[in-house]
Amino acid sequence: MSSFRTIAPQVHSVEKIDFVEPVHQLLPGGTSFFTLYGGTQEIVKLDFSFKAGNWFESSKLESLMSASMISEGTTGKSAREIADRIDFYGAQLNSLPYYDNNYVSLLSLKKHLPHLLPLFAEIIQDASFPENEFEIIRQKRKQRAQVDAEKVGLVAQRNFMRAVMGKDHPYAPVATSESYDQVTLEGAKSHYLRHYYSGNATLFASGDVDDSVTKMIVDNFGAGWGTPFPFKKDQPEVQGSEEKKLFLERENANQNAVTIGKRVPTQHHPDSAGLKLVTTIFGGYFGSRLMSNLREEKGLTYGIHASVVSFVRDAIFMIHAEVTAEKTEEAIREIFYEMQRLREELVPESELEPLRSFLLGRMLEDFDGPFARAQSFSSLYEAELEVGYFDKIIHAIKTTTPEQIRDLARRYLDPETMYTVAAGKR
Amino acid sequence: MIQFDKRILENGLPVIVHTDRSTPFVAVNVCYNVGSKHEDPNRTGFAHLFEHLTFAGSVHVPDFDTAVQRAGGANNAFTSNDLTNYYITLPANNIETALWLESDRMIGPKFSKKGLDVQKKVVIEEFRQRNLNRPYGDVWHLLRDLAYKVHPYRWPTIGLVPEHIASATLTDVKDFFFHHYAPNNAVLVISGNIGSPEAFKLAEKWFADIPSREITHYPSLQEPMQEADRELTVYRDVPIDTFYVAWHMGARNEKNFYVLDLLSDILSNGSSSRFEVKLVKEQKLFTEADAYLSGENEPGLFVATGKASPGVDIHLAREKMLEEILMTAETSITDYELEKVKNRVEADLLLNEIGYLEKAIQLASFEIMGDASEINRQGEQYLSITAADLLETAGKLFRKGNRNTLNYLALQNSKK
């Protein structure tokens, strides 16, 4: 075989990423409206985001249930009529609850928008919350929660969040499927009425958004709807549990789930970009320290990951893996061993240099095409960050030194400060 | 319409190029005509285990992942019952790195005892995580075993049991490679920001000198026509009763696939589907109800499943679902439903034309089945379906003797 194969082809580094901001206008009704024109197909995606997630609930599950009820009927149309129309035009409608903002999205061929936009407006502006549908969805969600309670991975992660934040914190998940018996139709509906109004909305339109589409959107959503709600909330106290080690017993498990981590500074903090890089080295990609050690060297797990989960008002550093039950202690020991190593040894350039290129490639991916760009900018605005944040991330990827990495690990990855939650067989 | 150019290299490797100038990336996708259906029944899970092993490096490349990272790319792979597919995505000007790696994977992996031992453990952990330690995780092991008696679709890609994976030897691994991995048993697809002339030139440079190999073709096993309905009931530590009913259907490239895909859509795709409207919302028999095709290339299964609402007898719910399926198949589709399907197909096909990687994977999969250009005939296949087709296909599918029922019941309910 020819010898040219023994030498790696020359590689070029990512030179330019297009951070051109979407076009913005403030609609008369108070909605912040962004357009991102582009793409190769006559497809349009609309993404509404409302400050209406868990953070804004007066009691648990109201946000989830109100998001689930959005397309289940309006004053003038039944759930069935809405579903018929959306499906007839081959469109996709999604209403998703999250921790901070909730999203309602429509993906449609451009030519069907004249039929679908008035309906989309009706759903968002005039949902009626029929009782029949509410009970059906409650049962379905409850059953799903019952199944989830049998998955050790979810049990570990959810109990980890409850331990770190305190069980009543808005970012902490509910304890059991029985919580679904507590949420009421009235609670869900008033959550919707309070938070899904025009002045509390951001709208992204991406894809083939030409002038005619923009005009249609303004016609349907410009004037505004709903009544502004004076939402006020003090930062709820984080009440992390005293006990930093937790074991949730599941006697029939033949694999145990382990979640380890703690709170870290939000994306607004100057250390945040560097800490993301440290987390990636530790467990954020296939060649990470944790994957190399626990998977590729010892075969203890199918996958182990570390990440920083960013909320608008908090951030969590988290490691998660599922391992053979008998090897749980060994896995935990190796995780802390790798943590300690990051705090003591300098990361060699041979490890850092390919990682920098890899992360720049992922950054380029985040801006590839109108839909990916809309997603990236939408997350940026939700976190109340400026476009310069992307440059800050790139700067951190390109220039953070091995010494800075070690210092960040010393500052934030102290084993003493970590919560360790395991679920499975003892 | 997905435009592409195709050439076959002298060693038998088909090369397909699809240009998409809207992205700064390219995908290099190599699909091998080997899946779990090519395995020895006593050595199942092998194709997938082998996929894991090829990432440990190859004849001229010490470390795949670092090379991909250095080029700003990402890579992964998947194995199914029918095929094994590898892909690398990276900025277009670094395409040669991907071609260097994938051609070297084809020349030969670096086999080591240590690499094999570790990946055996990793795959067994994957087996536990996905199948043994997850509620309802063994459904497809049970259902395949019930529905197939002869055909190798009888076992899932992960394998029949972890012991099969544990017993793999280095000799097995080497044999497997040289019997299946070859230019004349694969497809190379290059998609994204690159023109055909350049892509063909580079494909030639990196792949043309890999010799073709003698491929072992196992005798193709046909599943005999099922004569009697089968039923299996198991009790598991799960919170909710469920069932899976499966009927044998035809192959992926036959008309019946499109007809039944359409039937499953009418039954359960979207909130306006019959299952959702009647079984979930009106009659409140189920909290979730679904119908779908298992989707393999050779004759697969049409599956109906659901989770009963609290307090509803699972057997009653199942019978009601079967009634609904038969009624849907036997009453003509209305013009309204036909137009709805037409709109959905149009939208789905356009959406499928967005991602350069997804297009590469689909082109490769159609080429493995025989002809990449079938990708552009899907629309007309769906649109040519008539009510008579539906009636005829359903008649064959739901004939007496073709049904396999798996009742998957909660252990706690059996004690009542």
Side-chain angles (χ1 to χ4, degrees), chain A residues 10 86 126 140 149 162 185 223 240-241 295 350 379 399-400 414:
Chain A
Q10 200 196 337
I86 298 283
D126 189 25
K140 177 192 200 151
R162 289 166 62 80
L185 177 63
S241 81
R295 177 177 147 137
S350 60
S379 310
T399 64
T400 308
D414 179 357

Side-chain angles (χ1 to χ4, degrees), chain A residues 5 72 87 111 132 143 324, chain B residues 125 206 272 281 284 287:
Chain A
R5 295 186 181 277
E72 295 294 326
D87 288 352
K111 65 176 181 183
N132 181 51
Q143 281 201 347
T324 317
Chain B
E125 289 307 315
W206 289 101
S272 72
K281 290 213 163 151
K284 298 187 171 69
T287 57

Side-chain angles (χ1 to χ4, degrees), chain B residues 10-261:
Chain B
E10 263 182 47
N11 57 15
L13 177 68
V15 182
I16 292 171
V17 180
H18 165 71
T19 302
D20 179 347
R21 296 291 185 188
S22 73
T23 172
F25 286 91
V26 289
V28 170
N29 186 84
V30 181
C31 184
Y32 292 90
N33 186 16
V34 57
S36 58
K37 72 180 177 191
H38 299 97
E39 293 162 350
D40 179 335
N42 301 311
R43 291 286 171 87
T44 63
F46 213 92
H48 170 246
L49 171 65
F50 192 82
E51 173 218 307
H52 274 246
L53 286 171
T54 67
F55 284 93
S58 53
V59 178
H60 305 94
V61 184
D63 178 355
F64 260 60
D65 291 305
T66 309
V68 174
Q69 286 149 20
R70 193 165 276 135
N75 60 327
N76 213 334
F78 60 86
T79 308
S80 73
N81 300 82
D82 296 307
L83 53 83
T84 310
N85 190 82
Y86 300 88
Y87 56 86
I88 300 175
T89 56
L90 69 190
N93 56 2
N94 286 337
I95 184 172
E96 287 211 55
T97 299
L99 295 168
W100 173 53
L101 296 172
E102 286 307 333
S103 61
D104 220 53
R105 191 181 332 247
M106 196 178 279
I107 290 166
K110 186 176 60 187
F111 301 109
S112 80
K113 175 82 169 54
K114 159 128 211 275
L116 175 63
D117 287 344
V118 168
Q119 289 308 318
K120 284 183 348 187
K121 286 191 203 164
V122 170
V123 170
I124 289 170
E125 289 307 315
E126 181 180 357
F127 202 136
R128 290 194 173 117
Q129 187 167 329
R130 293 192 170 176
N131 302 105
L132 305 178
N133 202 38
R134 171 167 301 191
Y136 312 99
D138 62 344
V139 160
W140 276 92
H141 279 90
L142 298 165
L143 194 61
R144 287 185 177 283
D145 192 59
L146 185 66
Y148 294 101
K149 297 300 157 196
V150 172
H151 194 279
Y153 285 166
R154 173 157 82 75
W155 57 86
T157 307
I158 191 75
L160 267 176
V161 285
E163 289 71 25
H164 281 187
I165 298 153
S167 67
T169 67
L170 211 50
T171 315
D172 296 335
V173 170
K174 285 182 187 164
D175 280 355
F176 191 84
F177 178 79
F178 287 105
H179 287 133
H180 296 290
Y181 278 64
N184 46 317
N185 203 36
V187 182
L188 166 65
V189 183
I190 298 174
S191 70
N193 198 342
I194 186 168
S196 291
E198 196 198 346
F200 283 128
K201 201 182 83 197
L202 291 173
E204 183 84 25
K205 172 180 169 186
W206 289 101
F207 285 88
D209 65 346
I210 304 173
S212 52
R213 296 178 182 127
E214 189 86 30
I215 303 303
T216 307
H217 295 285
Y218 293 113
S220 160
L221 294 170
Q222 297 282 330
E223 182 68 20
M225 191 195 253
Q226 188 179 334
E227 303 285 353
D229 289 349
R230 301 171 190 144
E231 186 160 357
L232 171 70
T233 300
V234 298
Y235 293 91
R236 292 284 189 274
D237 188 15
V238 292
I240 295 149
D241 290 340
T242 182
F243 62 80
Y244 286 75
V245 183
W247 296 266
H248 290 280
M249 56 177 279
R252 173 69 181 84
N253 59 3
E254 294 168 14
K255 177 156 191 169
N256 97 103
F257 178 89
Y258 295 93
V259 176
L260 292 176
D261 190 36

Side-chain angles (χ1 to χ4, degrees), chain A residues 138-146 177-178 180-181:
Chain A
R138 182 217 295 277
Q139 288 305 336
K140 177 192 200 151
R141 293 281 173 179
K142 189 177 171 186
Q143 281 201 347
R144 276 193 199 163
Q146 286 169 340
S177 60
E178 267 83 56
Y180 285 83
D181 298 330

